[in-house]
Amino acid sequence: GDLFVESNELFYVVLSDPSNAIVLDATGACTIVNDDYPFIWTGGGGNGLASNTNNWQWNGVKAVRVPTNQDDIVLGPGGSSNLTWDAGVSGLTDTVNSWTQNSNYLGTVTFKTTYPEYSAAFTNFAILGNCILSNGVWTHLSNAGGANRRWYRLKVTMGGNLLLDSNATVNVAGLGYQSASGPGNPGSHGGQRSQAGLRASHVFRPC
């Protein structure tokens, strides 16, 4: 065995030079069926970081590596511990094959995606296939702590379908420009000048 995620593999067996027999069909097709297991989030490593192998389970045991771009991610069966996806740390990828949060997952997933002008290390989280969010929260890091600071945002691209259940939430409220900051804003709220209490780069929707 190995630790590589692979698709089904097809190979052929060809019989030749029979002895005391007649071969009616000399070629046989064989398929090695993909039995790769998804990465299950447990949070057992104690720090909530996706780059920590101790936070993952694979095939019923603690994972020995972090997920790669060929892996399927599942949250829920292993509990509801919060997860922070810190791509680039300990070889953690910024791309996965698919993502599923089942109805048992009640935690928060924080993506450390950034604006490229701040850092080009992790600007986008990519899901090659489908993304199913039946429960839980998605968010990004806060931009509070400095005037006109624009470091973090939530950016995720998907190659398949997105299923967002009514119990799941994408919540970035209060994570944009801090109070009295933002483009051309001398007011008491964050973002563009219009309504007090909004703390993002958009007047009405803090997203």
Side-chain angles (χ1 to χ4, degrees), residues 64-80:
V64 297
R65 63 171 175 83
V66 294
T68 71
N69 60 3
Q70 300 182 64
D71 286 313
D72 300 304
I73 306 300
V74 178
L75 286 70
S80 291

Side-chain angles (χ1 to χ4, degrees), residues 130-144:
N130 295 329
C131 177
I132 301 174
L133 303 179
S134 297
N135 214 332
V137 179
W138 274 17
T139 190
H140 66 80
L141 294 178
S142 173
N143 285 289

Side-chain angles (χ1 to χ4, degrees), residues 77-153:
S80 291
S81 296
N82 294 335
L83 181 159
T84 297
W85 198 276
D86 53 336
V89 179
S90 300
L92 181 67
T93 180
D94 61 2
T95 305
V96 297
N97 188 54
S98 70
W99 186 284
T100 301
Q101 289 174 211
N102 68 27
S103 58
N104 295 321
Y105 185 72
L106 306 177
T108 296
V109 177
T110 302
F111 294 96
K112 297 183 71 173
T113 43
T114 63
Y115 286 95
E117 58 265 31
Y118 168 62
S119 173
F122 182 27
T123 59
N124 178 68
F125 183 70
I127 301 172
L128 301 177
N130 295 329
C131 177
I132 301 174
L133 303 179
S134 297
N135 214 332
V137 179
W138 274 17
T139 190
H140 66 80
L141 294 178
S142 173
N143 285 289
N148 297 327
R149 187 168 108 165
R150 192 175 80 152
W151 291 0
Y152 303 106
R153 65 176 175 177

Side-chain angles (χ1 to χ4, degrees), residues 2-204:
D2 57 46
L3 299 178
F4 298 102
V5 181
E6 300 168 301
S7 304
N8 291 349
E9 296 181 26
L10 176 67
F11 68 94
Y12 297 92
V13 175
V14 180
L15 303 178
S16 61
D17 298 325
S19 177
N20 299 319
I22 298 175
V23 178
L24 298 179
D25 186 355
T27 302
C30 302
T31 301
I32 301 177
V33 178
N34 169 33
D35 62 351
D36 294 314
Y37 297 91
F39 268 69
I40 305 295
W41 174 255
T42 66
N47 62 2
L49 299 178
S51 60
N52 184 352
T53 58
N54 294 320
N55 287 320
W56 295 101
Q57 186 181 85
W58 187 85
N59 192 17
V61 298
K62 187 175 69 174
V64 297
R65 63 171 175 83
V66 294
T68 71
N69 60 3
Q70 300 182 64
D71 286 313
D72 300 304
I73 306 300
V74 178
L75 286 70
S80 291
S81 296
N82 294 335
L83 181 159
T84 297
W85 198 276
D86 53 336
V89 179
S90 300
L92 181 67
T93 180
D94 61 2
T95 305
V96 297
N97 188 54
S98 70
W99 186 284
T100 301
Q101 289 174 211
N102 68 27
S103 58
N104 295 321
Y105 185 72
L106 306 177
T108 296
V109 177
T110 302
F111 294 96
K112 297 183 71 173
T113 43
T114 63
Y115 286 95
E117 58 265 31
Y118 168 62
S119 173
F122 182 27
T123 59
N124 178 68
F125 183 70
I127 301 172
L128 301 177
N130 295 329
C131 177
I132 301 174
L133 303 179
S134 297
N135 214 332
V137 179
W138 274 17
T139 190
H140 66 80
L141 294 178
S142 173
N143 285 289
N148 297 327
R149 187 168 108 165
R150 192 175 80 152
W151 291 0
Y152 303 106
R153 65 176 175 177
L154 179 60
K155 185 178 181 184
V156 180
T157 57
M158 302 166 196
N161 296 320
L162 168 64
L163 175 61
L164 183 64
D165 190 88
S166 59
N167 292 319
T169 305
V170 177
N171 185 2
V172 296
L175 301 179
Y177 291 114
Q178 65 176 329
S179 180
S181 297
N185 176 25
S188 61
H189 59 278
Q192 299 174 17
R193 68 178 81 178
S194 180
Q195 292 178 242
L198 296 184
R199 296 180 58 194
S201 58
H202 191 283
V203 176
F204 299 109

